[in-house]
Amino acid sequence: MLHNNSKIFSQQMDTSSSCLHSCSLTIFEFEIDSLSVTGSVEFAVKEFYLLHRKPFVLQMFGALAALLDTDDQSQFGDPTRVPSKCLFRLLLSLETPTPDPLHITELIHGSQPLRPLDFCYHDDSDEITVLDCISMCVCVVAYASDSLRGQQMLTILEAVLPPYLIHIQTNKTEGKTERDIINHIAVAIRTLVNNCEPLAK
């Protein structure tokens, strides 16, 4: 009985999380020209990351994979989906300190700034880069490429990698040169190819 209740609760939490992520990215797309709205979504996502770290990012990717429109060649796009560039812009915002335009932190009762809920992340950096996100996706796919989560991470890679390669060519990056980043991506892709034998069957 307890096991069944835990399973039901876990499914309800996954559904709630999927709705949260989907709504956030949809609002981000519709209000892309509103700095206060997009800034608030970026800030909220960053704060959730500070609390839950990499598990939050992976759960967000799983929830958003089915929502993304990765066809950049289409003239009009799919009106039922969100352009992949919106996710890329959201991830890019995590690389820098994010302002709080609507003063969301005033609604939080507790110590500031927020710290990870899981003690094992307390010594980790508060920063996360698009390159870190790519590495996480590759890790999941390499471990279980034929699983649902693996398929979702492949969709995220398809959405994020092309704009990121363009971004590093046109923007200066802190700490790493363009060559270092491309080398890191090349290693990740090699790992991906070497561990995706189930996809070739």
Side-chain angles (χ1 to χ4, degrees):
M1 181 69 176
L2 181 61
H3 173 73
N4 289 337
N5 288 341
S6 298
K7 186 175 181 181
I8 292 172
F9 177 74
S10 177
Q11 290 173 342
Q12 290 174 339
M13 289 296 291
D14 286 343
T15 301
S16 299
S17 176
S18 296
C19 290
L20 172 66
H21 294 309
S22 300
C23 289
S24 297
L25 193 62
T26 302
I27 292 171
F28 192 85
E29 178 203 5
F30 286 152
E31 302 293 340
I32 198 72
D33 295 323
S34 172
L35 295 180
S36 61
V37 175
T38 56
S40 295
V41 173
E42 291 170 353
F43 178 79
V45 170
K46 183 67 175 281
E47 293 299 290
F48 275 121
Y49 169 74
L50 292 177
L51 283 174
H52 304 290
R53 302 301 166 120
K54 291 179 180 180
F56 166 77
V57 176
L58 292 173
Q59 191 172 38
M60 177 175 71
F61 287 165
L64 296 178
L67 186 66
L68 295 176
D69 180 7
T70 57
D71 184 7
D72 294 331
Q73 305 302 319
S74 175
Q75 183 177 0
F76 301 106
D78 187 339
T80 64
R81 296 174 180 268
V82 176
S84 56
K85 64 181 180 181
C86 292
L87 175 61
F88 175 70
R89 176 174 161 179
L90 186 59
L91 294 179
L92 202 59
S93 73
L94 297 178
E95 294 189 348
T96 55
T98 309
D100 182 12
L102 297 185
H103 308 290
I104 297 173
T105 49
E106 294 179 3
L107 303 175
I108 300 174
H109 300 287
S111 59
Q112 299 286 341
L114 297 180
R115 300 300 303 156
L117 295 179
D118 194 325
F119 72 91
C120 68
Y121 294 111
H122 280 197
D123 295 329
D124 287 3
S125 170
D126 289 343
E127 304 301 323
I128 184 172
T129 66
V130 177
L131 200 58
D132 293 330
C133 295
I134 291 172
S135 296
M136 279 191 283
C137 290
V138 169
C139 184
V140 173
V141 177
Y143 179 74
S145 59
D146 54 347
S147 66
L148 174 60
R149 190 65 85 190
Q151 297 291 328
Q152 292 169 338
M153 296 305 116
L154 283 173
T155 301
I156 298 299
L157 286 172
E158 183 182 0
V160 171
L161 261 176
Y164 186 57
L165 289 173
I166 295 173
H167 172 76
I168 62 175
Q169 294 176 46
T170 56
N171 296 270
K172 291 184 178 180
T173 53
E174 293 292 335
K176 289 190 176 184
T177 65
E178 180 182 339
R179 179 182 295 179
D180 292 333
I181 294 174
I182 292 176
N183 182 62
H184 187 106
I185 293 174
V187 172
I189 297 301
R190 189 181 302 119
T191 302
L192 196 65
V193 172
N194 291 340
N195 291 277
C196 286
E197 184 179 345
L199 297 180
K201 293 180 180 178

